[in-house]
mmCIF file of all heavy atoms in Angstrom:
data_model
loop_
_atom_site.group_PDB
_atom_site.id
_atom_site.type_symbol
_atom_site.label_atom_id
_atom_site.label_comp_id
_atom_site.label_asym_id
_atom_site.label_seq_id
_atom_site.Cartn_x
_atom_site.Cartn_y
_atom_site.Cartn_z
ATOM 1 N N MET A 1 17.162 -3.443 13.994
ATOM 2 C CA MET A 1 16.328 -3.318 12.841
ATOM 3 C C MET A 1 16.311 -4.765 12.044
ATOM 4 O O MET A 1 17.425 -5.342 11.905
ATOM 5 C CB MET A 1 16.903 -2.325 11.906
ATOM 6 C CG MET A 1 16.016 -2.004 10.710
ATOM 7 S SD MET A 1 16.669 -0.485 9.720
ATOM 8 C CE MET A 1 16.192 0.859 10.795
ATOM 9 N N ILE A 11 1.441 0.809 3.001
ATOM 10 C CA ILE A 11 -0.086 0.553 2.653
ATOM 11 C C ILE A 11 -0.784 1.115 3.896
ATOM 12 O O ILE A 11 -0.386 0.923 5.017
ATOM 13 C CB ILE A 11 -0.347 -0.818 2.371
ATOM 14 C CG1 ILE A 11 0.273 -1.344 1.198
ATOM 15 C CG2 ILE A 11 -1.924 -1.022 2.235
ATOM 16 C CD1 ILE A 11 0.141 -2.737 0.926
ATOM 17 N N SER A 13 -5.297 2.382 5.211
ATOM 18 C CA SER A 13 -6.593 2.682 4.911
ATOM 19 C C SER A 13 -6.949 4.109 4.985
ATOM 20 O O SER A 13 -6.446 4.767 6.022
ATOM 21 C CB SER A 13 -7.636 1.827 5.784
ATOM 22 O OG SER A 13 -7.290 0.427 5.432
ATOM 23 N N ASN A 14 -7.549 4.769 4.053
ATOM 24 C CA ASN A 14 -7.953 6.011 4.101
ATOM 25 C C ASN A 14 -9.080 6.260 5.226
ATOM 26 O O ASN A 14 -10.013 5.527 5.215
ATOM 27 C CB ASN A 14 -8.559 6.547 2.726
ATOM 28 C CG ASN A 14 -8.924 7.959 2.644
ATOM 29 O OD1 ASN A 14 -9.447 8.456 3.498
ATOM 30 N ND2 ASN A 14 -8.597 8.536 1.607
ATOM 31 N N THR A 16 -11.210 8.587 5.712
ATOM 32 C CA THR A 16 -12.476 9.135 5.388
ATOM 33 C C THR A 16 -13.335 8.067 4.675
ATOM 34 O O THR A 16 -14.596 8.016 5.005
ATOM 35 C CB THR A 16 -12.226 10.212 4.234
ATOM 36 O OG1 THR A 16 -11.311 11.298 4.698
ATOM 37 C CG2 THR A 16 -13.489 10.927 3.788
ATOM 38 N N LEU A 23 1.372 4.890 -0.150
ATOM 39 C CA LEU A 23 2.196 6.301 -0.065
ATOM 40 C C LEU A 23 2.910 6.474 -1.358
ATOM 41 O O LEU A 23 3.824 5.628 -1.640
ATOM 42 C CB LEU A 23 3.110 6.270 1.152
ATOM 43 C CG LEU A 23 3.836 7.623 1.380
ATOM 44 C CD1 LEU A 23 2.765 8.685 1.576
ATOM 45 C CD2 LEU A 23 4.679 7.534 2.548
ATOM 46 N N GLY A 24 2.698 7.526 -2.051
ATOM 47 C CA GLY A 24 3.275 7.853 -3.261
ATOM 48 C C GLY A 24 4.303 9.034 -3.204
ATOM 49 O O GLY A 24 4.435 9.463 -2.040
ATOM 50 N N SER A 26 3.783 12.120 -3.784
ATOM 51 C CA SER A 26 3.270 13.401 -3.281
ATOM 52 C C SER A 26 1.982 13.194 -2.491
ATOM 53 O O SER A 26 1.178 13.927 -2.437
ATOM 54 C CB SER A 26 2.909 14.344 -4.577
ATOM 55 O OG SER A 26 2.009 13.581 -5.406
ATOM 56 N N ARG A 33 0.538 1.145 -8.344
ATOM 57 C CA ARG A 33 1.606 1.307 -9.142
ATOM 58 C C ARG A 33 2.255 2.567 -9.107
ATOM 59 O O ARG A 33 3.414 2.929 -9.597
ATOM 60 C CB ARG A 33 1.054 1.166 -10.577
ATOM 61 C CG ARG A 33 0.518 -0.385 -10.886
ATOM 62 C CD ARG A 33 -0.237 -0.422 -12.167
ATOM 63 N NE ARG A 33 -1.437 0.263 -12.025
ATOM 64 C CZ ARG A 33 -2.578 -0.075 -12.569
ATOM 65 N NH1 ARG A 33 -2.479 -1.038 -13.452
ATOM 66 N NH2 ARG A 33 -3.778 0.589 -12.324
ATOM 67 N N SER A 40 15.803 0.043 0.596
ATOM 68 C CA SER A 40 16.704 -0.173 1.789
ATOM 69 C C SER A 40 15.946 -0.063 3.142
ATOM 70 O O SER A 40 14.732 0.395 3.151
ATOM 71 C CB SER A 40 17.818 0.811 1.696
ATOM 72 O OG SER A 40 17.279 2.034 2.051
ATOM 73 N N LEU A 47 9.544 5.879 5.114
ATOM 74 C CA LEU A 47 8.221 5.572 4.720
ATOM 75 C C LEU A 47 7.279 5.406 5.944
ATOM 76 O O LEU A 47 6.248 6.089 5.989
ATOM 77 C CB LEU A 47 7.989 4.443 3.706
ATOM 78 C CG LEU A 47 8.585 4.591 2.293
ATOM 79 C CD1 LEU A 47 8.372 3.287 1.499
ATOM 80 C CD2 LEU A 47 7.871 5.802 1.617
ATOM 81 N N ILE A 55 -1.008 9.256 10.496
ATOM 82 C CA ILE A 55 -1.999 8.569 11.388
ATOM 83 C C ILE A 55 -2.199 9.655 12.468
ATOM 84 O O ILE A 55 -3.378 9.896 12.827
ATOM 85 C CB ILE A 55 -1.240 7.397 12.102
ATOM 86 C CG1 ILE A 55 -1.283 6.187 11.239
ATOM 87 C CG2 ILE A 55 -2.074 7.024 13.474
ATOM 88 C CD1 ILE A 55 -0.441 5.019 11.680
ATOM 89 N N ASP A 62 -4.064 2.013 10.156
ATOM 90 C CA ASP A 62 -3.590 0.633 9.701
ATOM 91 C C ASP A 62 -2.417 0.801 8.697
ATOM 92 O O ASP A 62 -2.359 -0.041 7.683
ATOM 93 C CB ASP A 62 -4.683 -0.224 9.095
ATOM 94 C CG ASP A 62 -4.216 -1.685 8.859
ATOM 95 O OD1 ASP A 62 -3.389 -2.261 9.653
ATOM 96 O OD2 ASP A 62 -4.838 -2.365 8.114
ATOM 97 N N ASP A 73 7.811 -2.911 -16.083
ATOM 98 C CA ASP A 73 7.533 -1.688 -16.239
ATOM 99 C C ASP A 73 7.859 -0.644 -15.040
ATOM 100 O O ASP A 73 7.609 0.473 -14.983
ATOM 101 C CB ASP A 73 5.937 -1.491 -16.565
ATOM 102 C CG ASP A 73 5.167 -1.968 -15.280
ATOM 103 O OD1 ASP A 73 5.726 -2.511 -14.345
ATOM 104 O OD2 ASP A 73 3.828 -1.867 -15.407
ATOM 105 N N ALA A 75 6.667 -0.931 -11.948
ATOM 106 C CA ALA A 75 5.635 -0.885 -10.997
ATOM 107 C C ALA A 75 5.735 -1.927 -9.915
ATOM 108 O O ALA A 75 6.010 -3.099 -10.305
ATOM 109 C CB ALA A 75 4.273 -0.963 -11.688
ATOM 110 N N HIS A 80 2.497 -10.838 -1.238
ATOM 111 C CA HIS A 80 1.658 -11.656 -0.353
ATOM 112 C C HIS A 80 0.131 -11.553 -0.674
ATOM 113 O O HIS A 80 -0.464 -10.563 -1.062
ATOM 114 C CB HIS A 80 1.888 -11.321 1.019
ATOM 115 C CG HIS A 80 3.392 -11.511 1.420
ATOM 116 N ND1 HIS A 80 4.125 -12.663 1.538
ATOM 117 C CD2 HIS A 80 4.412 -10.547 1.496
ATOM 118 C CE1 HIS A 80 5.344 -12.581 1.714
ATOM 119 N NE2 HIS A 80 5.530 -11.217 1.810
ATOM 120 N N ARG A 82 -2.533 -11.227 1.204
ATOM 121 C CA ARG A 82 -3.353 -10.224 1.948
ATOM 122 C C ARG A 82 -3.315 -8.960 1.044
ATOM 123 O O ARG A 82 -4.406 -8.361 0.818
ATOM 124 C CB ARG A 82 -2.913 -9.938 3.339
ATOM 125 C CG ARG A 82 -3.699 -8.812 4.039
ATOM 126 C CD ARG A 82 -3.202 -8.553 5.379
ATOM 127 N NE ARG A 82 -4.068 -7.561 6.045
ATOM 128 C CZ ARG A 82 -3.683 -6.497 6.715
ATOM 129 N NH1 ARG A 82 -2.504 -6.261 6.940
ATOM 130 N NH2 ARG A 82 -4.594 -5.760 7.168
ATOM 131 N N LYS A 88 -7.872 -5.586 -4.842
ATOM 132 C CA LYS A 88 -9.093 -5.899 -5.483
ATOM 133 C C LYS A 88 -10.311 -5.193 -4.968
ATOM 134 O O LYS A 88 -11.277 -5.035 -5.619
ATOM 135 C CB LYS A 88 -9.316 -7.324 -5.523
ATOM 136 C CG LYS A 88 -8.129 -8.185 -6.406
ATOM 137 C CD LYS A 88 -8.495 -9.518 -6.546
ATOM 138 C CE LYS A 88 -7.429 -10.189 -7.284
ATOM 139 N NZ LYS A 88 -7.654 -11.686 -7.458
#
Side-chain angles (χ1 to χ4, degrees):
M1 186 176 286
I11 299 177
S13 294
N14 184 315
T16 305
L23 187 59
S26 59
R33 295 168 290 210
S40 69
L47 288 180
I55 289 172
D62 190 28
D73 61 355
H80 300 288
R82 177 181 188 222
K88 294 180 180 183

